[in-house]
């Protein structure tokens, strides 16, 4: 007598459709960070720039939840407000690099005449380390939010262009694209209707990595003193100011570093999870 067959396939499909724990955890952390940035005035105990010389370098207490810095400013309030700059920089860099890199990648992948010119320019930009290019741009101009976004965005554009170009070259070999060409479909229509949709899924995943990289780069620039001015609280500025007292007051660096690490880790985990869900090849590997 044979054993009954268990419904393995429906269970597998149900498991694939359920959100992975990394997605849930990442979304919780990111949602908390967004709420922290949007409602910073309501969540903060003090103004992030309020000075109190009598409360310099105080440890955590019921008044100052995370302690105070060398100027007597509330560290908790400054960390809360620092989320605003990081999220704005990440969003601006991710959106700008895709808006510029997507059309360049489409042109390079479809028109061979544009390919040689565009890709040589991209290769030249990739030859320069991103952090050094960002430092040079900020040093030559007035440091500010827009300047920092542009400085971090430029090194990310070649990555987007190369990704889009590779997807376009792969899509050109598909039968539906060849059929559209034989039917005399104009190039703009063919690109917008058949080629651009093939780049949506990888661009979504790439945007998450760019977002995380931009946040980390902005913190590095601020830590080095070439980012946004010290009058604006950012996680990098807070760590830069606290490093002088790290041996005696390590919480000045620990708290912004922990929040920064959690934010970047959650974005990267979300990107990995989206890659597994959006890439059919990645789905097949788990079976």
């Amino acid at each position: 007598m044979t054993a009954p067959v268990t419904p393995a396939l429906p269970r597998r499909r149900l498991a694939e459709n359920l959100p992975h724990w990394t997605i849930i955890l990442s979304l919780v952390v990111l949602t908390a960070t967004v709420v922290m940035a949007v409602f910073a005035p309501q969540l903060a105990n003090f103004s992030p720039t309020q000075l109190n010389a009598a409360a310099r370098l105080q440890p955590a207490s019921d008044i100052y939840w995370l302690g105070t810095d060398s100027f007597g400013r509330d560290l908790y309030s400054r960390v809360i407000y620092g989320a605003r700059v990081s999220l704005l920089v990440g969003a601006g860099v991710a959106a700008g690099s895709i808006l510029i890199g997507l059309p360049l990648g489409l042109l390079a992948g479809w028109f061979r005449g544009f390919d040689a010119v565009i890709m040589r320019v991209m290769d030249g930009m990739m030859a320069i380390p991103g952090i050094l290019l960002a430092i040079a741009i900020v040093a030559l101009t007035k440091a500010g939010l827009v300047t920092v976004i542009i400085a971090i965005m430029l090194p990310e554009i070649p990555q987007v262009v190369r990704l889009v170009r590779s997807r376009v070259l792969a899509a050109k070999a598909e039968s539906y694209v060849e059929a559209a060409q034989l039917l005399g479909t104009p190039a703009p229509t063919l690109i917008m209707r058949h080629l651009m949709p093939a780049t949506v899924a990888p661009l979504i995943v790439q945007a998450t990595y760019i977002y995380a990289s931009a946040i980390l780069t902005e913190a590095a620039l601020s830590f080095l003193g070439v980012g946004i001015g010290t009058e604006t609280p950012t996680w990098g500025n807070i760590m830069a100011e606290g490093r002088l007292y790290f041996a005696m007051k390590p919480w000045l660096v620990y708290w912004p570093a922990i929040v920064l690490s959690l934010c970047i880790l959650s974005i990267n985990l979300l990107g990995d999870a989206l890659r597994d869900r959006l890439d059919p090849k990645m789905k097949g590997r788990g079976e």
Side-chain angles (χ1 to χ4, degrees):
M1 185 175 182
T2 59
V5 179
T6 58
L9 184 59
R11 291 182 181 178
R12 180 182 298 177
R13 290 178 178 175
L14 178 62
E16 290 177 353
N17 292 328
L18 290 176
H20 199 267
W21 68 269
T22 55
I23 299 180
I24 298 176
L25 182 60
S26 301
L27 290 176
V28 169
V29 175
L30 290 178
T31 302
T33 306
V34 172
V35 170
M36 183 171 61
V38 173
F39 298 99
Q42 290 75 28
L43 296 175
N45 295 333
F46 300 92
S47 169
T49 58
Q50 180 178 340
L51 304 178
N52 186 0
R56 294 176 63 253
L57 300 175
Q58 293 294 316
S61 63
D62 55 347
I63 299 177
Y64 303 106
W65 292 355
L66 300 182
T68 60
D69 63 6
S70 59
F71 296 96
R73 296 172 296 191
D74 181 42
L75 186 62
Y76 165 75
S77 301
R78 291 180 63 78
V79 170
I80 291 291
Y81 274 89
R84 288 185 163 186
V85 175
S86 295
L87 294 181
L88 282 175
V89 170
V93 172
S97 58
I98 290 177
L99 288 176
I100 297 175
L102 176 59
L104 292 177
L106 292 173
L107 291 175
W110 186 256
F111 300 103
R112 299 187 62 180
F114 287 101
D115 184 26
V117 177
I118 293 176
M119 296 314 298
R120 296 299 76 75
V121 174
M122 296 300 109
D123 291 341
M125 293 177 63
M126 293 183 66
I128 306 174
I131 186 66
L132 295 182
L133 181 59
I135 291 174
I137 294 174
V138 174
L140 293 175
T141 58
K142 183 179 180 181
L145 181 61
V146 177
T147 303
V148 170
I149 290 176
I150 295 175
I152 301 175
M153 178 184 66
L154 290 179
E156 299 291 347
I157 292 176
Q159 303 291 343
V160 178
V161 174
R162 292 171 66 90
L163 174 63
V164 174
R165 175 180 177 271
S166 65
R167 292 291 176 168
V168 171
L169 291 176
K172 285 173 66 175
E174 298 291 339
S175 57
Y176 67 89
V177 176
E178 295 179 353
Q181 288 181 280
L182 294 175
L183 291 174
T185 305
T189 304
L190 194 149
I191 291 174
M192 297 296 295
R193 184 174 299 176
H194 299 291
L195 299 182
M196 186 181 294
T199 66
V200 172
L203 279 180
I204 292 175
V205 178
Q206 185 68 19
T208 60
Y209 298 138
I210 293 176
Y211 203 116
S213 176
I215 293 176
L216 183 60
T217 304
E218 183 278 324
L221 292 175
S222 298
F223 186 83
L224 295 174
V226 293
I228 298 175
T230 56
E231 68 278 359
T232 302
T234 69
W235 292 334
N237 284 340
I238 298 172
M239 289 187 287
E241 294 170 356
R243 73 181 188 275
L244 300 176
Y245 308 91
F246 180 75
M248 299 180 297
K249 314 291 183 180
W251 68 79
L252 296 176
V253 178
Y254 281 163
W255 287 117
I258 290 173
V259 176
L260 174 65
S261 301
L262 288 176
C263 182
I264 294 175
L265 178 61
S266 62
I267 296 174
N268 285 329
L269 289 176
L270 181 61
D272 291 340
L274 289 175
R275 180 198 59 196
D276 296 343
R277 292 299 181 95
L278 296 176
D279 191 348
K281 296 181 180 179
M282 296 300 298
K283 289 182 181 180
R285 293 178 185 177
E287 298 181 356

